[in-house]
Amino acid sequence: MEGKILRKNPRKAAVMALFYPDSRNMTHLLCILRKTYEGIHSNQVALPGGKAEREDGSLKITALRETYEEVGVNPKDVEIVRTISEVYIPPSNFEVQPFIGLYKEPKPFKIQESEVASLLEISLTDFLEDINLTSKKLSTSYAKEISVPAFKLNDYIIWGATAMMLSEIKDLLKQVL
């Protein structure tokens, strides 16, 4: 089928879009910059998260566990607000379930140095500004030189599956703000 991406028994993963107040009570969204490594998602901006483990029991538990492992946020301190649309990532064959969480009383983040290069603490104001929408040209295994929607936040270009998730979150927030 032309134009249709076939899912071949995708692996399951979950990520957390974590919103929290800073010291001035301004809301932020936490993203991570992945370390540079030999792999598909090397040196990319992402939401904290990762692949489901058999012992997790649910994708919600996966998102909370991975958020704890990558940025040191205790699962008990996160209030899950809702899920958004699952996103299929063809290059790595992952189907990712994003969760939106609130971290109302944040403690200092503690990055997992083996996987996370740095944190991007994105202000809600910047996130919601349409001026920060852009596009990125890329070639993939299934498309050549296509222009994809992206965000320019904290001097990084956020594209691909993460940009798709952020776009849905932004649309939801604009409905209630």
Side-chain angles (χ1 to χ4, degrees):
M1 264 189 190
E2 194 171 312
K4 180 112 170 108
I5 298 168
L6 297 176
R7 298 176 189 208
K8 296 178 181 162
N9 194 23
R11 298 176 289 173
K12 296 287 188 177
V15 297
M16 182 70 66
L18 192 67
F19 289 91
Y20 61 96
D22 68 7
S23 60
R24 298 170 306 170
N25 220 24
M26 302 295 292
T27 302
H28 283 71
L29 167 64
L30 184 67
C31 288
I32 61 171
L33 178 65
R34 296 208 178 278
K35 284 260 183 159
T36 300
Y37 60 91
E38 290 291 323
I40 294 167
H41 304 297
S42 170
N43 199 37
Q44 290 182 3
V45 175
L47 296 170
K51 72 177 177 178
E53 303 292 344
R54 184 170 291 141
E55 60 274 8
D56 287 344
S58 74
L59 290 173
K60 176 181 171 181
I61 292 170
T62 299
L64 290 165
R65 176 185 54 76
E66 284 282 344
T67 300
Y68 176 70
E69 289 175 6
E70 291 185 346
V71 298
V73 174
N74 188 321
K76 289 184 228 147
D77 296 333
V78 177
E79 176 189 339
I80 301 288
V81 177
R82 64 171 293 166
T83 61
I84 59 170
S85 303
E86 279 188 340
V87 176
Y88 177 63
I89 305 172
S92 57
N93 195 36
F94 269 105
E95 191 167 67
V96 181
Q97 176 62 72
F99 290 83
I100 298 175
L102 300 178
Y103 187 32
K104 292 179 183 173
E105 296 180 32
K107 296 162 191 70
F109 296 111
K110 184 176 179 213
I111 67 168
Q112 181 181 30
E113 293 184 10
S114 61
E115 289 189 31
V116 179
S118 64
L119 300 179
L120 280 73
E121 298 184 67
I122 300 164
S123 79
L124 183 61
T125 304
D126 288 347
F127 176 56
L128 293 175
E129 284 289 332
D130 288 339
I131 198 165
N132 293 317
L133 292 175
T134 187
S135 62
K136 177 178 174 67
K137 281 206 183 294
L138 63 111
S139 294
T140 69
S141 58
Y142 53 89
K144 300 292 178 229
E145 285 297 306
I146 57 169
S147 183
V148 297
F151 289 83
K152 187 173 193 316
L153 296 164
N154 294 30
D155 296 322
Y156 288 91
I157 300 293
I158 303 170
W159 58 280
T162 301
M164 291 169 62
M165 295 172 205
L166 293 183
S167 184
E168 183 174 346
I169 293 167
K170 180 178 174 180
D171 287 346
L172 286 169
L173 289 172
K174 286 203 167 202
Q175 290 175 27
V176 297
L177 295 177

